[in-house]
Amino acid sequence: MTNRYENRNSQIMKLGDWLRMNGVPAVRFAESVGTTPATISRVVNGRVVPRRGLMAAIIKVTRGEVTAGDLVQVEPKLSENDRGEKA
C-alpha cells in the first residue's frame, strides 16, 4: 500500500499546520507522542529540532504527513563556486 503523501511534490507540512488542519490540540498531541506541550510548542515555533525518538513518534502519529524533512531546517551546503570563490 502506497503512502498517499509520498509524492507531495516537495510540499512542506509543518507540524503546526498539521495540528490545525486535523483539529488536534497541542496538549493531546504531546500526550500521544510522549512529550510535553511545551516541547511541542518549541517544535512548532521552530525553536528546537526534535530528537530522533520524538521525531519518529511525530511521523508515526501524523501517519507520515509530517516528515523528518518538515521538522528539520537544513541549509544547503554551498560549493566554492556557489560562494563566488575561485576554483
Side-chain angles (χ1 to χ4, degrees):
M1 184 169 164
T2 303
N3 181 333
R4 63 186 170 136
Y5 297 97
E6 282 179 353
N7 298 316
R8 295 186 304 161
N9 296 325
S10 300
Q11 282 183 295
I12 295 175
M13 172 65 76
K14 297 290 186 183
L15 180 57
D17 296 335
W18 187 92
L19 293 171
R20 281 186 294 282
M21 289 172 53
N22 290 281
V24 178
V27 172
R28 192 175 85 202
F29 186 78
E31 290 171 357
S32 69
V33 296
T35 193
T36 65
T39 297
I40 293 303
S41 175
R42 287 191 290 272
V43 171
V44 166
N45 292 318
R47 291 191 305 249
V48 299
V49 173
R51 292 181 184 238
R52 192 177 311 185
L54 177 56
M55 190 178 292
I58 291 170
I59 294 166
K60 181 178 179 180
V61 169
T62 64
R63 298 173 313 280
E65 293 176 39
V66 176
T67 68
D70 298 332
L71 296 167
V72 179
Q73 296 294 327
V74 178
E75 295 294 323
K77 185 174 180 179
L78 298 176
S79 69
E80 289 181 8
N81 291 335
D82 292 334
R83 286 185 242 144
E85 297 175 13
K86 294 183 181 177

